[in-house]
Amino acid sequence: MSGSAGTYIPGFGNHVSTEAVAGTLPVGRNSPQRPAFGLYAEQLSGTAFTAPRHENRRSWLYRLRPSAEHPPFTKYEGAPQFARATTSDPLAPNRLRWDPLPQRAGADLVDGITTMLVNRDPADLEGVALHIYAANRNMERRVFVNADGELLFVPQEGRLELLTELGRVVVAPGQIASVPRGVRFRALLPDGAARGYALENQGAMFRLPDLGPIGANGLANPRDFETPVAWFEDRDEPFEVIQKYMGVLWRTELHHSPLDVVAWHGNLAPWRYDLAHFNTINTVSFDHPDPSIFTVLTSPSDVPGRANADFVIFPPRWMVAEDTFRPPWFHRNIMSEAMGLITGAYDAKADGFQPGGLSLHNLLAGHGPDKASWDAATKAELKPHRLSGTMAFMLESCWPYRPTLFASESAQPDYDACWADFPKAQLP
Ligand SMILES: [Fe+2]
């Protein structure tokens, strides 16, 4: 093995050049006639060749063996709750919520993934899927690769060490990490077990949102994203490759580790980001702004302003608004909202929404504060107040989500009850 763990290059989407062995990165060209030491040059693209320059993402990899060398894939029969189908029933307009999922003995990151929500066929190259992972075993001699989308990991308990083709990324609760579509990786669990969310973006790659009148700075700043330096392992022993491809898991076996990229350059790469660096912007006068002010990353659809996916957080912050109902208001949105809780309590739901849990408010579902939160917020004396020790996220999508069969059967039975018993307004 070579390259150092924990070494990162700051910046978002930058053109990076990095080599784990001196002299392995070609100079002045991408594909020399004879790369150094007999390495194989390979381009991995994240956008079409002809995508506009400011959106074009690709990297050149210099590796011990070409990725093309592999036997046929066959169906993978493990991971009993990963990538499973939705029901063919009509999508009901119900609000749904789930408790955290238990660990299953001996599950690594792949076998420990449960797919909860999906909203487009991966072949559409649009949509998102929301998975929850609960893992307690390292991936030692197998790697995973997702051909269906970019994976955004949101740890809730325990760190993940993602050993990827392009470097090593350690991500802890409170941080997020992205592995681009097509990048192979295996996951170690430095804390013995880990739980969290894996958000799969099948559409345009996540990018930082435009800031409009906010200006040149604010929200997630590019300098706080971290891309790993080149790292590889030289292991000639059997490795299983699990690939998610068009919503189904496949497997094949190699006689070596495919994490054998000695050097790479380009702007398609994994990264991590610490949510504590998010520059939170909110009202200093009245009214709760639209939650789009909390957007960390966006994946645009083909309709301007209508996101395939927005990754939004609800971080610790000061509440100072005057003459205002301070928690999120009641709403019915055209966008569909899946929410997870990383730590603490969410300010619109005092009970029933636990860290590691999940809720779904699909297109036009009426929702907002529960009765207890509404009671407290309407009676509170509005002094400056700091919300601390909390971090929730929302994966908002223009495509309504469909729960998987497992999710349909495991939802809390009484979620609607949190909006029962509101007193009727009394006209004069
Ligand atoms: Fe909402």
Side-chain angles (χ1 to χ4, degrees):
M1 296 189 193
S2 191
S4 51
T7 305
Y8 301 89
I9 302 162
F12 186 86
N14 289 351
H15 290 263
V16 164
S17 294
T18 173
E19 57 185 12
V21 173
T24 50
L25 200 59
V27 175
R29 68 203 64 237
N30 296 326
S31 189
Q33 184 182 20
R34 285 185 293 276
F37 310 113
L39 293 170
Y40 296 87
E42 174 189 273
Q43 181 175 200
L44 177 67
S45 65
T47 51
F49 292 141
T50 46
R53 181 176 282 268
H54 68 277
E55 292 186 4
N56 210 306
R57 302 287 287 273
R58 61 87 183 89
S59 284
W60 279 90
L61 283 46
Y62 302 91
R63 57 193 321 147
L64 300 180
R65 293 182 179 84
S67 299
E69 183 186 355
H70 69 79
F73 283 88
T74 56
K75 285 265 194 75
Y76 177 61
E77 302 298 343
Q81 287 170 194
F82 190 2
R84 296 298 119 161
T86 59
T87 71
S88 54
D89 294 342
L91 180 60
N94 285 324
R95 303 157 299 195
L96 296 171
R97 192 166 64 181
W98 292 268
D99 291 329
L101 301 183
Q103 289 275 359
R104 291 197 303 276
D108 65 12
L109 184 69
V110 173
D111 288 345
I113 283 186
T114 298
T115 304
M116 299 295 289
L117 304 171
V118 300
N119 65 13
R120 292 295 295 267
D121 188 306
D124 295 342
L125 301 182
E126 283 185 304
V128 285
L130 194 150
H131 315 276
I132 291 178
Y133 65 85
N136 48 71
R137 189 162 59 86
N138 288 338
M139 293 170 70
E140 294 291 1
R141 289 195 297 128
R142 67 173 183 170
V143 301
F144 179 69
V145 58
N146 192 355
D148 289 346
E150 153 183 40
L151 278 175
L152 186 70
F153 287 101
V154 184
Q156 184 256 319
E157 255 179 39
R159 288 169 297 166
L160 292 178
E161 182 173 3
L162 303 169
L163 308 183
T164 82
E165 286 179 281
L166 285 81
R168 307 166 73 167
V169 179
V170 179
V171 59
Q175 301 176 324
I176 56 174
S178 162
V179 179
R181 186 195 296 258
V183 170
R184 289 172 284 188
F185 68 97
R186 59 192 183 91
L188 307 181
L189 311 172
D191 303 316
R195 300 150 66 98
Y197 306 85
L199 314 181
E200 178 179 320
N201 172 19
Q202 299 165 184
M205 288 181 68
F206 276 126
R207 64 197 63 181
L208 299 176
D210 288 334
L211 293 178
I214 293 174
N217 307 285
L219 308 187
N221 288 304
R223 67 180 294 236
D224 296 320
F225 287 76
E226 297 177 295
T227 294
V229 297
W231 163 91
F232 70 101
E233 57 186 7
D234 181 1
R235 291 173 63 183
D236 290 337
E237 51 192 303
F239 263 78
E240 185 177 37
V241 178
I242 311 291
Q243 176 165 193
K244 182 169 180 286
Y245 191 85
M246 300 301 122
V248 174
L249 297 181
W250 302 82
R251 73 172 295 280
T252 192
E253 200 160 297
L254 307 177
H255 49 59
H256 62 277
S257 170
L259 308 181
D260 65 351
V261 176
V262 182
W264 62 270
H265 78 85
N267 61 354
L268 179 74
W271 52 253
R272 72 173 182 180
Y273 172 73
D274 189 338
L275 298 173
H277 291 313
F278 188 79
N279 175 222
T280 309
I281 286 170
N282 207 326
T283 183
V284 289
S285 57
F286 56 86
D287 283 353
H288 192 303
D290 293 323
S292 44
I293 51 163
F294 296 146
T295 302
V296 182
L297 298 160
T298 188
S299 160
S301 75
D302 291 340
V303 176
R306 195 185 79 173
N308 172 65
D310 278 338
F311 176 74
V312 173
I313 59 170
F314 300 88
R317 59 199 183 275
W318 279 95
M319 311 289 270
V320 299
E322 297 178 304
D323 190 18
T324 287
F325 181 80
R326 285 181 175 175
W329 14 252
F330 294 103
H331 54 290
R332 293 180 294 154
N333 280 351
I334 191 76
M335 300 287 280
S336 294
E337 306 171 8
M339 276 196 71
L341 186 57
I342 301 166
T343 190
Y346 175 58
D347 60 328
K349 297 284 188 307
D351 296 309
F353 186 37
Q354 299 173 49
L358 181 69
S359 71
L360 173 65
H361 307 131
N362 254 339
L363 177 146
L364 289 183
H367 64 287
D370 61 17
K371 172 69 163 42
S373 304
W374 177 85
D375 266 336
T378 49
K379 293 177 181 133
E381 190 187 346
L382 295 184
K383 292 187 292 199
H385 166 66
R386 183 165 166 79
L387 276 181
S388 50
T390 180
M391 185 66 81
F393 76 85
M394 179 162 70
L395 188 65
E396 189 180 85
S397 175
C398 64
W399 320 110
Y401 290 96
R402 284 183 172 272
T404 57
L405 198 52
F406 171 85
S408 301
E409 291 168 350
S410 60
Q412 293 176 1
D414 55 352
Y415 184 31
D416 292 335
C418 76
W419 293 290
D421 303 325
F422 281 100
K424 182 183 176 185
Q426 298 295 316
L427 298 177

